[in-house]
Amino acid sequence: MRPAQPSSAPRPARRDWLGPGIVAAAGLSVASGFAQFAATATLGDVAAAFGETATGDSLVAQAGLAGSTLGIGLAVVRLASLASLPLAELADRRGRRGVLLGVAAAGLGFRTVYALAVIPLLGVPLLARALPEPERYTRLRTQLTHGPRPRLSALGHVPRALRPTLLLLATLTAALAFVSGPVNSLLFLYAERIVGLSSSVTAVVVVAAGPVGLAGLLAGRWAADRWGRRLTAGVSQAVVALAGVATYRGGGAFTIAGYLLSICASGAFGPAAAALAAELFPTSMRATAAGWLTVSGVLGAVSGLVAFGVLADAAGFALAALAVGVPVALITPLYARLPETRGLELEQSAPEPEAEDGREPPPERG
């Protein structure tokens, strides 16, 4: 692993965590996920409308569609996210702000079937005014403009020295998605069609998940800064996996408690994981690395959805959740192999590497 190196480069001023730029980015995250959530929330109705009418205790009779059919169908939807890698690399080449605004607008407009998605879409122009280009990226682009012309690299190129770190983090990201993909995507179908919870009860639980997730987020933010990114991410990922197992244990109480615990742990996982993803890679390739992590998450979710669906057909939801959740919990100690970045500036935890052809990168300007 690369040792942290001190840097004499000027550091951008720290931004308040409730500053306009951060709030605008959070608003865009809400807008981008608004319509996507509807696909899983309506899955039970979709399965009932397009599935088979039957009686009995089988999964098809209860849900309307086989578990393998549901898993493969949702996996196909997730595969569309593989386009995130070229878009993420474009953010390294052209700028974060323009790419973020573009994909936020384009990723809601085509889902016209969910008309409510128009509401956050209308807020994108307003959020754009408060969203600045990061100072580190702006400074880097200025250096490249006045320095040697950079060579074009292959799609998703990451220097050789950083690949082991990226591979390990991508593996852990894929593992989390392997369990969270099926657990979250099939939740509403399971709660309403298998457990028998009413839509009103499900709606109340989803509303309750808001403050529970916020509590987890605040706890994770505190723990990541006090205990470290690796420990916080590892513990919370293990809790997410085990909570997923509990969600499909059987009965309304397990489903509700497991879901809320999973939401809380996912909230706690977010700050630590986001910090690691940003602090382990230098500015010039930070978005590209994030693109690879997104790809690994997509592949993990696709694998989990297919595996969960097949196992649910063969052995039921409880054993399927057990089979995808326990292995993920068992590999979380691998977070200890990542460098700890708590307390380091980005210039220290992820300095710009030397070019692989032996040329030095352009010096930082004051």
Side-chain angles (χ1 to χ4, degrees):
M1 300 294 182
R2 293 175 296 105
Q5 299 178 9
S7 173
S8 59
R11 294 167 182 164
R14 293 183 182 272
R15 295 183 181 275
D16 184 79
W17 73 290
L18 288 178
I22 296 177
V23 171
L28 289 170
S29 297
V30 172
S32 66
F34 190 89
Q36 299 173 26
F37 179 73
T40 56
T42 59
L43 185 59
D45 296 326
V46 171
F50 292 95
E52 303 175 14
T53 301
T55 58
D57 297 329
S58 68
L59 179 58
V60 173
Q62 293 177 309
L65 290 173
S68 55
T69 302
L70 293 167
I72 293 172
L74 289 169
V76 171
V77 174
R78 288 295 186 99
L79 283 172
S81 298
L82 290 178
S84 60
L85 178 57
L87 290 173
E89 187 171 36
L90 188 63
D92 277 335
R93 296 179 181 272
R94 300 294 184 182
R96 282 80 158 109
R97 183 178 182 274
V99 172
L100 180 59
L101 292 171
V103 298
L108 290 165
F110 79 93
R111 290 183 175 88
T112 54
V113 67
Y114 302 117
L116 287 176
V118 173
I119 297 176
L121 177 63
L122 294 176
V124 171
L126 299 177
L127 294 173
R129 299 180 180 180
L131 186 68
E133 191 71 73
E135 294 177 36
R136 285 182 171 87
Y137 181 81
T138 302
R139 189 174 68 228
L140 178 67
R141 294 305 302 173
T142 301
Q143 294 167 10
L144 293 177
T145 299
H146 294 88
R149 187 179 183 86
R151 298 182 305 168
L152 291 177
S153 57
L155 175 64
H157 175 77
V158 173
R160 189 176 295 107
L162 293 171
R163 290 173 192 170
T165 299
L166 179 59
L167 179 60
L168 177 56
L169 192 56
T171 300
L172 290 165
T173 300
L176 178 64
F178 184 78
V179 64
S180 64
V183 166
N184 294 336
S185 299
L186 296 169
L187 172 72
F188 295 98
L189 178 140
Y190 176 77
E192 296 177 8
R193 302 292 173 183
I194 308 299
V195 176
L197 296 180
S198 66
S199 298
S200 58
V201 171
T202 304
V204 170
V205 174
V206 171
V207 171
V212 169
L214 178 60
L217 179 69
L218 295 175
R221 173 177 174 262
W222 179 87
D225 285 339
R226 299 300 191 281
W227 299 343
R229 282 73 160 113
R230 300 178 302 178
L231 179 61
T232 303
V235 171
S236 55
Q237 179 165 319
V239 174
V240 169
L242 297 178
V245 174
T247 300
Y248 291 88
R249 176 66 178 81
F254 275 106
T255 299
I256 293 173
Y259 171 67
L260 293 179
L261 179 59
S262 176
I263 290 296
C264 183
S266 296
F269 175 82
L276 278 173
E279 293 166 352
L280 290 176
F281 303 100
T283 300
S284 61
M285 62 199 69
R286 191 164 293 136
T288 300
W292 277 117
L293 296 180
T294 301
V295 167
S296 66
V298 171
L299 296 178
V302 167
S303 302
L305 284 163
V306 174
F308 191 100
V310 172
L311 291 170
D313 280 340
F317 276 92
L319 287 178
L322 191 68
V324 300
V326 171
V328 172
L330 291 177
I331 70 167
T332 52
L334 289 177
Y335 274 101
R337 297 178 64 96
L338 292 170
E340 179 56 69
T341 58
R342 178 174 63 94
L344 299 178
E345 293 287 346
L346 291 177
E347 290 81 4
Q348 297 174 310
S349 65
E352 291 293 333
E354 294 184 4
E356 292 189 345
D357 61 355
R359 293 181 300 172
E360 294 281 348
E364 297 214 318
R365 300 176 185 270

